[in-house]
Amino acid sequence: MACSTPVVMTKNLGFLSYARHDYNSLIVEERSLESATSTVSQLLDNPALADELSLR
């Protein structure tokens, strides 16, 4: 987003006003370590996705 860094976040009403899953961020389930680690791994394994999310 603003810092040209891909964002991984939990569902939160405040952020959902501008964060869109698979467009400018990846949104994971709240209190789910498995979901968060899987999503971060997805970004590490797919630099093109990380770059794409960073630009929006």
Side-chain angles (χ1 to χ4, degrees), residues 8 26 34-47 49:
V8 176
L26 294 175
E34 183 178 321
S35 178
T37 56
S38 172
T39 301
V40 171
S41 291
Q42 179 184 1
L43 287 174
L44 293 173
D45 292 341
N46 189 347
L49 175 61

Side-chain angles (χ1 to χ4, degrees), residues 4-51:
S4 297
T5 303
V7 174
V8 176
M9 62 192 329
T10 60
K11 292 180 181 179
N12 178 303
L13 293 178
F15 293 115
L16 292 178
S17 63
Y18 65 85
R20 294 191 320 203
H21 183 71
D22 282 333
Y23 177 75
N24 61 2
S25 62
L26 294 175
I27 301 172
V28 299
E29 290 299 319
E30 204 172 315
R31 302 179 195 274
S32 173
L33 181 59
E34 183 178 321
S35 178
T37 56
S38 172
T39 301
V40 171
S41 291
Q42 179 184 1
L43 287 174
L44 293 173
D45 292 341
N46 189 347
L49 175 61
D51 289 343

